[in-house]
Each structure stands twice: as C-alpha cells, then as structure tokens.
C-alpha cells in the first residue's frame, strides 16, 4: 500500500476531465457567491442600523438601493434602467464625484 495519492484525472477520458473541471469551477463559484451574499447581508444590516451622517452618505445608501433595484429589472426595461442611471449620475454630479 502506498501513501501517494492517485491522480484520478489521468485515468479519465478527455470528456470526463472537462466535466470534472466544470464541476470544480461551479463549486468554487458557488462558494464565492455564498460568501458575497453573507457580506452583502452584513452590509445591509449596517446600512439599516447606522443613519447617514451627511448627504454624501445618504446618496451612497440610495445608490446602493438603486443598483439593487436596477439589477432586478428585465433587460428590456430600458426606461427604468435609464431613470436609475440618471439619478445615480445626479448624485455623482451634485456630490462633486463626476
């Protein structure tokens, strides 16, 4: 008996190796997505708990919510997407960011 691990990928056909690689990448993406969702939840709790101390902070919170809203819009809903983009541009212009 040997303690050396066997590289099973060498014993698979090309199609099986590609399928395994795809499963590995998907598992990694799912792990990253879970971490991002957890971080997003923490951020949103903080946004709810701490009131904005300035107009800049209030605008940053509004931009975050508008981006969430825009992400939920259908690709064909260009009118609302344009409206969100215009409001975000207004925030940037009025805060001296752009």
């Amino acid at each position: 008996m040997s303690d050396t691990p066997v590289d099973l990928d060498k014993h698979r056909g090309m199609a099986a190796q590609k399928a395994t690689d795809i499963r590995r990448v998907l598992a990694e993406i799912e792990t990253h997505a879970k971490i991002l969702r957890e971080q997003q939840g923490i951020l949103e709790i903080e946004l709810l708990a701490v009131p904005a101390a300035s107009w800049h902070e209030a605008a940053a919170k509004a931009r975050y919510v508008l981006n969430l809203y825009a992400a939920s819009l259908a690709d064909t809903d260009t009118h609302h997407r344009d409206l969100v983009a215009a409001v975000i541009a207004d925030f940037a212009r009025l805060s001296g960011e752009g």
Side-chain angles (χ1 to χ4, degrees), residues 16-42:
Q17 286 181 19
K18 286 184 179 185
T20 299
D21 290 342
I22 290 170
R23 283 193 304 275
R24 288 176 181 157
V25 169
L26 287 174
E28 186 176 332
I29 289 169
E30 289 171 3
T31 299
H32 289 298
K34 180 181 177 190
I35 292 168
L36 288 174
R37 283 190 301 274
E38 291 170 358
Q39 290 174 340
Q40 182 179 10
I42 292 168

Side-chain angles (χ1 to χ4, degrees), residues 46-62:
E46 290 179 14
L47 289 174
L48 282 170
V50 180
S54 67
W55 282 104
H56 290 278
E57 289 181 13
K61 284 184 173 185

Side-chain angles (χ1 to χ4, degrees), residues 2 6 8 30 43-44 49 66 81 86 88 90-91 95:
S2 172
V6 176
L8 295 177
E30 289 171 3
L43 170 66
E44 290 176 359
L66 285 170
R81 288 183 181 283
I88 290 174
D90 286 343
F91 285 153
S95 66

